[in-house]
Amino acid sequence: ASKVLYDRAVFFTDKLEGRREDAIAELRELQRRFPKSTAAVRSHRHVGRLLHALGRSDEAIAELDAMIATDPTSIELQASYGWFSFRE
Protein backbone atom coordinates (compact mmCIF):
# COMPACT_ATOMS: atom_id res chain seq x y z
CA ALA A 1 0.00 0.00 0.00
CA SER A 2 2.78 2.45 0.84
CA LYS A 3 4.45 1.94 -2.56
CA VAL A 4 1.17 2.64 -4.34
CA LEU A 5 0.73 5.88 -2.38
CA TYR A 6 4.31 6.88 -3.17
CA ASP A 7 3.97 6.14 -6.87
CA ARG A 8 0.66 7.98 -7.11
CA ALA A 9 2.02 11.09 -5.39
CA VAL A 10 5.29 11.19 -7.33
CA PHE A 11 4.25 10.10 -10.79
CA PHE A 12 0.66 11.25 -11.08
CA THR A 13 0.17 14.17 -8.72
CA ASP A 14 3.63 15.70 -9.13
CA LYS A 15 5.05 14.70 -12.50
CA LEU A 16 1.92 14.32 -14.64
CA GLU A 17 -0.36 16.88 -13.04
CA GLY A 18 2.26 19.29 -11.69
CA ARG A 19 0.46 19.75 -8.38
CA ARG A 20 3.46 20.03 -6.06
CA GLU A 21 1.62 21.11 -2.92
CA ASP A 22 -0.83 18.23 -3.29
CA ALA A 23 2.04 15.79 -3.87
CA ILE A 24 3.69 17.03 -0.66
CA ALA A 25 0.42 16.48 1.23
CA GLU A 26 0.06 12.97 -0.19
CA LEU A 27 3.64 12.05 0.68
CA ARG A 28 3.25 13.39 4.21
CA GLU A 29 0.10 11.31 4.57
CA LEU A 30 2.14 8.29 3.46
CA GLN A 31 4.75 9.12 6.12
CA ARG A 32 2.01 9.38 8.75
CA ARG A 33 0.26 6.12 7.81
CA PHE A 34 3.32 3.97 7.09
CA PRO A 35 6.23 5.59 8.96
CA LYS A 36 8.50 2.52 8.90
CA SER A 37 8.03 1.69 5.23
CA THR A 38 10.74 2.07 2.62
CA ALA A 39 8.40 4.30 0.63
CA ALA A 40 7.98 6.65 3.61
CA VAL A 41 11.74 6.99 3.98
CA ARG A 42 12.13 7.64 0.23
CA SER A 43 9.32 10.16 0.33
CA HIS A 44 11.35 12.49 2.55
CA ARG A 45 13.78 13.07 -0.29
CA HIS A 46 11.03 13.77 -2.79
CA VAL A 47 9.27 16.15 -0.41
CA GLY A 48 12.62 17.90 0.05
CA ARG A 49 12.94 18.27 -3.72
CA LEU A 50 9.44 19.65 -4.04
CA LEU A 51 9.92 22.10 -1.19
CA HIS A 52 13.18 23.31 -2.72
CA ALA A 53 11.47 23.76 -6.09
CA LEU A 54 8.83 25.85 -4.35
CA GLY A 55 11.53 28.10 -2.88
CA ARG A 56 11.14 26.69 0.62
CA SER A 57 14.75 25.61 1.14
CA ASP A 58 14.70 25.71 4.95
CA GLU A 59 11.78 23.28 4.96
CA ALA A 60 13.57 21.14 2.38
CA ILE A 61 16.62 20.87 4.64
CA ALA A 62 14.39 19.94 7.59
CA GLU A 63 12.77 17.22 5.47
CA LEU A 64 16.16 15.76 4.55
CA ASP A 65 17.17 15.89 8.21
CA ALA A 66 13.98 13.92 8.98
CA MET A 67 15.03 11.37 6.36
CA ILE A 68 18.40 10.90 8.09
CA ALA A 69 16.67 10.65 11.48
CA THR A 70 14.82 7.51 10.31
CA ASP A 71 18.18 5.67 10.35
CA PRO A 72 21.14 7.85 11.39
CA THR A 73 23.64 5.06 10.69
CA SER A 74 22.54 4.53 7.08
CA ILE A 75 25.28 5.40 4.65
CA GLU A 76 22.71 5.17 1.83
CA LEU A 77 20.54 7.91 3.37
CA GLN A 78 23.56 10.09 4.07
CA ALA A 79 24.71 9.67 0.47
CA SER A 80 21.20 10.52 -0.76
CA TYR A 81 21.29 13.73 1.30
CA GLY A 82 24.70 14.55 -0.11
CA TRP A 83 23.68 13.94 -3.72
CA PHE A 84 20.57 16.04 -3.27
CA SER A 85 22.65 18.90 -1.89
CA PHE A 86 25.19 18.56 -4.70
CA ARG A 87 22.58 18.46 -7.46
CA GLU A 88 20.48 21.30 -6.12
Side-chain angles (χ1 to χ4, degrees):
S2 61
K3 174 125 173 56
V4 172
L5 292 175
Y6 178 86
D7 288 346
R8 183 181 68 193
V10 171
F11 298 110
F12 290 103
T13 307
D14 177 27
K15 298 200 185 286
L16 289 177
E17 298 173 357
R19 296 183 297 122
R20 290 177 174 163
E21 292 286 354
D22 290 337
I24 290 169
E26 290 176 15
L27 291 167
R28 288 197 168 143
E29 177 65 14
L30 160 64
Q31 293 165 357
R32 186 190 69 73
R33 289 179 58 196
F34 304 98
K36 302 292 184 194
S37 69
T38 301
V41 174
R42 289 178 61 209
S43 72
H44 286 289
R45 185 166 190 257
H46 200 77
V47 169
R49 272 214 154 121
L50 292 170
L51 290 167
H52 179 73
L54 291 168
R56 296 160 49 188
S57 295
D58 289 342
E59 291 177 70
I61 291 167
E63 193 68 33
L64 294 175
D65 289 341
M67 176 184 71
I68 295 293
T70 64
D71 185 359
T73 63
S74 171
I75 299 299
E76 181 181 331
L77 294 179
Q78 293 174 25
S80 181
Y81 193 125
W83 276 109
F84 176 87
S85 300
F86 177 74
R87 290 181 60 178
E88 301 302 323

